[in-house]
Amino acid sequence: MSGDLSHFDASGQAIMVDVGAKPVTERTATARARVTMQRATAALIRGGNAKKGDVLGVARIAGIMAAKRTAELIPLCHPLPISSVSLELEAGEDVVEIAATVRTTGQTGVEMEALTAASVAALTIYDMCKSVDRSMHIEALRLTHKAGGKSGEFVQD
């Protein structure tokens, strides 16, 4: 079972990958997600009129907090010294687009931190707006960019 899956040993047991011999390099990752919603819900968000307050501001803070706590949520992730976390949230006609970028200088990448940040930001938007729109959808969570480390750069839309 170990094959190409790095989180399993030769006997198929889950392990935390030993990154001790890997070089310290600058690493970055960006993940994206979107929350689709009714036009009226998006208008509330854009206008800052949601009952619970500044939806995009709270979602941004939630994403930053989530990135910093990824190792507590994902069992085999390493705790990392995160250099920066940024979230861009853009409310359109019937959608909020989310992009989370995480940076570190370390021995392993920050893909999981970026994915966690984007997903928790999306969940926060849902939580803050569910009283007016339970039909929202969280969609298209994906890694769109990764740089640094042995595997080099990865880019996708």
Side-chain angles (χ1 to χ4, degrees), residues 4-120:
D4 293 327
L5 299 175
S6 60
H7 286 82
F8 294 96
D9 66 14
S11 64
Q13 300 296 311
I15 60 166
M16 184 179 223
V17 175
D18 182 354
V19 298
K22 293 172 87 175
V24 172
T25 63
E26 288 186 24
R27 297 161 186 268
T28 185
T30 299
R32 296 182 183 276
R34 83 172 54 98
V35 184
T36 59
M37 60 196 65
Q38 297 172 11
R39 288 179 180 265
T41 307
L44 282 174
I45 292 170
R46 284 191 313 276
N49 300 320
K51 188 176 182 180
K52 290 186 178 181
D54 177 7
V55 174
L56 300 181
V58 173
R60 182 176 295 105
I61 296 299
I64 291 168
M65 291 174 65
K68 296 188 320 182
R69 301 194 66 148
T70 299
E72 295 174 34
L73 300 169
I74 310 296
L76 301 177
C77 279
H78 293 82
L80 299 175
I82 294 175
S83 304
S84 71
V85 180
S86 64
L87 276 93
E88 296 175 20
L89 297 103
E90 184 177 331
E93 288 295 313
D94 62 354
V95 66
V96 174
E97 297 283 350
I98 301 163
T101 300
V102 182
R103 299 185 198 298
T104 191
T105 301
Q107 294 171 294
T108 190
V110 286
E111 297 96 300
M112 294 308 299
E113 288 74 10
L115 287 161
T116 300
S119 63
V120 170

